[in-house]
Amino acid sequence: MKIASVIVDVPAKQTDKPFDYLIPEDWTETMQPGMRVIVPFGPRKIQGFVTEIKDKSEFKQLKEIIAPMDLEPVLNKELLHLGEWLTETSLCFKIFAYQAMLPAALKAKYEKKVRLAPGKEVAVLPSSLQAIFADNKKLEWEEVLKSGLVPLLQREAAKGHLEVVYEVKERVKKKQVKVIRPLFPPAEIKAEMERLPANAEKQRQVLDYFIEHQDPVEQKQLLTIVQTSPSTVKALVEKGLLSEDEMEVYRDPFENRVFEHTAPLPLTKAQTAAISPILKAIEAKRHEVFLLYGVTGSGKTEIYLQAIQDVIDKGKEAIVLVPEISLTPQMVNRFKGRFGDLVAVMHSGLSAGEKYDEWRKIQRKEVKVVVGARSAIFAPFENIGIIIIDEEHETSYKQEDMPRYHARDVAIERAKVYSCPVVLGSATPSLESFARAQKKVYHLLTLSNRMNNKPLPPVEIIDMREELRAENRSMFSRKLFSKLKDRLEKKQQSVLLLNKRGHSSFVMCRDCGYVVNCPNCDISLTYHRAGNRMKCHYCGYESNIPNVCPECSSEYIRYFGTGTQKVEEELGKILPEARVIRMDVDTTGRKGSHEKLLKDFRDGKADILLGTQMIAKGLDFPNITLVGVLSADTMLHLPDFRSSEKTFQLLTQVSGRAGRHQLPGEVVIQTYTPEHYSIELAGMQNYDYFYQREMMMRKIHHYPPFYYLVLVTVTHEQLMKAVAETEKIVNYLRSQVSNQAVILGPAASPIPRINNRYRYQCLIKYKREPNLTNVLKKILDQYQKEARNGLQVSIDVNPFILM
Ligand code: ADP
Ligand code: ZN
Ligand code: ZN
């Protein structure tokens, strides 16, 4: 009998190791590492991942695996191994590491069925299976397990004849599209075409299309190809030459678009100098990390595209990571335009079913390139030739829940296995990466000029305190207002950025200053205009706005802060003629709405695009000549040592949106702290100065990249318990680490209570502590045992959010 080592789905310290199970006789040949199984565990039946298959076990009286969950492995050997590394470095449970690598559809309880793989005929199957899968029939998983056919099905799946589908019930409503089809064969259409009046040129072009193509086509797509209007098509339908039908499709913002094919551009001297070390590493099959440091518009993406082409030509695969908010259709188009159907796209806008489909394409080796947000780093490729991380400084590459991994670290780990290069690209690299490049750990590649050699737009910094002194209480400075008005008259477009992080609207009493807080968490409730309610962003608590102040009974209790809605209202007052598109979490919640708003703006349907961080990236429209930042410093005051860095990056990024094309652009930054170096240097667009200045601060205060950090957070319902336990941990840590390490705490977390649990923390700063991982594991171990007392301890290695 063969034996399988299984990581079971019981996230706990004691179960964070493989358990041995007997493989039922029938499956000995087809069971493989990376498949999921159902196993008995105590009185329960639970899921698990097979990590190894072996002949012997040191344990006697093994139980048998109850049922398989997959026909094919869902994790390859390399990913199984990566899971161990992830567990070790991020201190998570193995089961979490493996689950993080899979699309959600595989994790949840969806209806699972086996069917013929796309494009396969039933005749490829052994005769015993043919009747089962004839006529597109699917076999329910329950039936599969009862049928005793598992090994046979697994063998057919391995040959690519069968596949598993997850029938995910889509929450999004199905969309209807118009589909046009010809009613006659090409020859007859041709004859009809000649009978059309001479001035019906457009109709002739449409018919021309159907002489070439007999398949039905979505009306929208047809109109794009032929460049005509629905009325042309309608005329032909009325003449009885074409028919139109309504068809149901799933919403997919990237589907059915015609991608214009693009050819590689001849590279400039600077680009050639930057790409050749990358190509050399690809050629030599050498792992190396490159930091491609180039201002926005300096031609980084073209370098990515050509490096990927080289990798594809060598029969290998590429992973491209892009921050979620930059994963715009524009961005995706550039990759689809170059590599067409070889590209899979993974982003949060896709439904679980669509994500699974993209993942399957990767697994089936139908695509060579995946473009996606953070989790795409786990794409199940097996012959990776390059990994690219665009905007590498983005903090969204760090996952905040278990496993708390940073995509950059995972990229480097995978690239080592495949002996391939990693390219990190940014106009404002993270201090960590730039410091590594300075120390020659990374290979620095620089693009100093924009492609069009256009200078970066001039930036003007406005001191809002001066505005107040001049009796201007509006959120718009006089300068920004007059420039907005000027653009309106010139029919040019403006972008207004409201830096919302840490600056949401709250409800406050004007008389006594009382702020309405969440009863469960020590944080103010956020005002939501929809329904005129207040919500807690941490625990979800909701309530109505009180009519009178609970403190002093004053009636002057209102919402405060500059939400995008409020800016929109004010714009309506001071520039009533301006057409405004607002982009924030409220207006972009629906699938595809983000894309639609941007398209409307590009098509000139608005004069001003107003939004939060999400508009700072990727926008590249020729008519934008003014960028205004309403509140540059809101982020500066957050209790986060990276706040200066984040402010600098955001301001630099948004400034890059203006004047990218023919028309020159300018930038206005409003702030209450114009003297702060991150604002001053963002105004000068001088990354190198900023880097030096910020490195000095980090050195003085013992922060990364000079020191590593670990954040330990302890939570309990009783304040005293949380404090006492944090103190114990601090003492224990002090006894275990060298005297070079700094341990701060116990201290209340910046948000001292969430959901009625008090939160205390300690921060470890260290340079080299070889024993620290073990010490931290011991702490987790110990507290897991005490979890029954209601104590929770979490450890974040290299934290990005210090709250
Ligand atoms: P980045 O990724 O650094 O922001 P892009 O790669 O988007 O820069 O390049 C900016 C613009 O310059 C794009 O419109 C791109 O098509 C164009 N471009 C890039 N490389 C070349 C080249 N070698 N020749 C001509 N145009 C180029
Ligand atoms: Zn009051
Ligand atoms: Zn709350």
Side-chain angles (χ1 to χ4, degrees), residues 440-453:
K440 311 260 189 265
V441 180
Y442 296 167
H443 187 149
L444 183 64
L445 307 167
T446 310
L447 294 174
S448 338
N449 296 312
R450 281 179 147 186
M451 275 317 295
N452 50 10
N453 275 320

Side-chain angles (χ1 to χ4, degrees), residues 190-258:
K190 204 164 193 165
E192 287 296 333
M193 197 164 109
E194 272 143 30
R195 258 173 256 148
L196 287 176
N199 61 359
E201 187 50 36
K202 279 291 169 193
Q203 293 187 23
R204 216 168 272 126
Q205 283 173 17
V206 172
L207 291 183
D208 229 6
Y209 173 90
F210 284 110
I211 291 170
E212 297 287 317
H213 311 85
Q214 279 77 53
D215 291 333
V217 57
E218 196 188 323
Q219 168 156 310
K220 214 166 75 205
Q221 196 175 349
L222 177 67
L223 298 182
T224 319
I225 297 168
V226 187
Q227 285 297 313
T228 183
S229 68
S231 60
T232 317
V233 177
K234 189 128 201 106
L236 290 166
V237 171
E238 276 161 11
K239 287 196 175 95
L241 296 175
L242 305 177
S243 86
E244 69 174 35
D245 307 283
E246 296 282 344
M247 233 177 72
E248 255 183 359
V249 291
Y250 286 127
R251 283 167 198 271
D252 173 0
F254 298 115
E255 203 184 45
N256 294 333
R257 191 177 303 113
V258 199

Side-chain angles (χ1 to χ4, degrees), residues 332-611:
V332 171
N333 279 0
R334 295 192 64 180
F335 288 87
K336 289 226 169 181
R338 194 67 58 89
F339 307 116
D341 291 341
L342 291 180
V343 180
V345 181
M346 298 273 224
H347 65 97
S348 66
L350 300 179
S351 66
E354 288 164 340
K355 269 188 204 148
Y356 175 71
D357 291 343
E358 296 297 296
W359 183 82
R360 279 291 290 161
K361 284 188 209 161
I362 301 168
Q363 212 197 17
R364 276 197 230 112
K365 313 279 174 330
E366 286 172 8
V367 294
K368 288 287 183 183
V369 183
V370 57
V371 181
R374 181 179 62 222
S375 63
I377 196 60
F378 297 116
F381 281 137
E382 290 180 283
N383 193 10
I384 299 173
I386 194 167
I387 302 179
I388 293 164
I389 304 188
D390 193 31
E391 316 255 21
E392 69 89 31
H393 61 274
E394 272 292 319
T395 49
S396 61
Y397 286 128
K398 169 77 193 280
Q399 169 149 312
E400 297 302 336
D401 318 320
M402 281 231 236
R404 299 190 174 87
Y405 67 91
H406 196 297
R408 194 199 294 135
D409 301 330
V410 179
I412 293 173
E413 193 59 26
R414 293 195 78 181
K416 278 183 197 158
V417 175
Y418 292 101
S419 295
C420 76
V422 171
V423 179
L424 309 173
S426 177
T428 52
S430 63
L431 279 243
E432 282 93 334
S433 294
F434 206 73
R436 275 183 204 138
Q438 296 285 314
K439 287 171 88 177
K440 311 260 189 265
V441 180
Y442 296 167
H443 187 149
L444 183 64
L445 307 167
T446 310
L447 294 174
S448 338
N449 296 312
R450 281 179 147 186
M451 275 317 295
N452 50 10
N453 275 320
K454 286 249 159 67
L456 288 162
V459 179
E460 199 163 345
I461 294 175
I462 309 282
D463 186 346
M464 289 305 277
R465 295 169 306 189
E466 291 292 328
E467 294 295 312
L468 267 183
R469 268 173 228 137
E471 306 266 293
N472 174 15
R473 291 181 195 285
S474 148
M475 57 182 93
F476 297 95
S477 59
R478 290 158 293 172
K479 200 141 227 170
L480 182 55
F481 174 72
S482 74
K483 286 188 196 296
L484 281 171
K485 211 168 159 58
D486 171 66
R487 298 310 133 110
L488 214 51
E489 278 153 16
K490 290 189 184 138
K491 304 221 177 310
Q492 295 173 0
Q493 291 180 303
S494 306
V495 168
L496 285 179
L497 175 85
L498 181 70
N499 191 357
K500 257 195 98 171
R501 256 179 234 164
H503 198 218
S504 51
S505 3
F506 51 98
V507 175
M508 188 171 91
C509 169
R510 284 203 159 195
D511 276 330
C512 76
Y514 172 84
V515 173
V516 184
N517 274 347
C518 172
N520 311 319
C521 315
D522 282 331
I523 190 165
S524 56
L525 293 174
T526 302
Y527 174 75
H528 281 253
R529 194 169 159 187
N532 203 34
R533 282 168 78 75
M534 302 177 295
K535 277 185 204 161
C536 172
H537 280 189
Y538 286 89
C539 75
Y541 173 87
E542 277 190 44
S543 92
N544 285 324
I545 296 174
N547 294 325
V548 294
C549 171
E551 232 7 72
C552 74
S553 304
S554 158
E555 286 173 16
Y556 292 97
I557 184 155
R558 304 270 148 85
Y559 77 89
F560 267 75
T562 37
T564 37
Q565 294 164 337
K566 215 173 158 208
V567 180
E568 192 180 17
E569 280 172 24
E570 178 140 347
L571 272 173
K573 281 182 207 140
I574 60 168
L575 287 171
E577 65 277 32
R579 297 164 303 160
V580 179
I581 288 181
R582 193 182 99 217
M583 260 175 84
D584 56 24
V585 281
D586 289 335
T587 63
T588 56
R590 284 222 343 268
K591 213 171 140 188
S593 52
H594 187 264
E595 174 186 25
K596 183 174 178 312
L597 292 175
L598 283 181
K599 187 178 176 306
D600 286 351
F601 190 61
R602 181 173 51 227
D603 293 347
K605 290 188 187 155
D607 310 296
I608 298 174
L609 178 65
L610 162 68

